[in-house]
Amino acid sequence: VQLQASGGGLVQAGDSLRLSCVASGRTFGVYGWFRQAPGKEREFVAASKWRGDRKTYTDSVKGRFTIFRSNRDNTLYLQMSSLKPEDTGVYYCAVRIDSYIGSSSSSFDFWGQGTQVTVSS
């Protein structure tokens, strides 16, 4: 199993950014995105069923971020809009084999390497 995340960068507040993560090796039950700001613990951002429309977001990103997946090539995405400085951090994609859609990082089985997102004010 390999997860390769990309798409991070330096943007200004209010800008948009799309993160990508290529997942290979097998299919999964759930995929998600987490982030870690400097000096803080890794936190849940969003998760989705691998198949189906059920998704969940942390409150601070609801209405601004969208998680989705390409069926064609198993690329996972996190579309981020109206970015704020507090969205700054290293963003990680993650997948779990079972189909329970939860927000605990310990329940995800495989992780990407992380991509840095920096939002300037």
Side-chain angles (χ1 to χ4, degrees):
V1 174
Q2 287 189 329
L3 299 173
Q4 185 72 31
S6 62
L10 172 63
V11 297
Q12 293 186 332
D15 285 352
S16 297
L17 201 61
R18 178 178 290 186
L19 305 182
S20 303
C21 177
V22 179
S24 61
R26 58 168 294 160
T27 57
F28 303 93
V30 169
Y31 63 100
W33 290 89
F34 290 77
R35 66 187 178 190
Q36 187 166 18
K40 295 187 177 180
E41 294 186 353
R42 190 173 299 186
E43 66 169 350
F44 170 79
V45 176
S48 174
K49 292 275 194 178
W50 193 263
R51 292 184 174 86
D53 295 330
R54 186 177 175 195
K55 304 176 190 299
T56 185
Y57 298 89
T58 192
D59 287 346
S60 63
V61 308
K62 286 180 180 176
R64 301 188 298 121
F65 290 13
T66 302
I67 185 173
F68 63 101
R69 179 177 72 86
S70 167
N71 289 323
R72 182 180 60 187
D73 57 7
N74 277 351
T75 300
L76 320 177
Y77 296 97
L78 183 68
Q79 177 67 46
M80 305 184 293
S81 302
S82 301
L83 282 162
K84 304 175 181 180
E86 50 264 43
D87 295 319
T88 294
V90 178
Y91 282 70
Y92 299 88
C93 56
V95 295
R96 57 185 294 173
I97 297 173
D98 64 29
S99 297
Y100 175 72
I101 186 169
S103 61
S104 172
S105 61
S106 62
S107 64
F108 281 74
D109 300 301
F110 302 98
W111 292 80
Q113 84 285 7
T115 184
Q116 176 71 45
V117 173
T118 303
V119 184
S120 64
S121 58

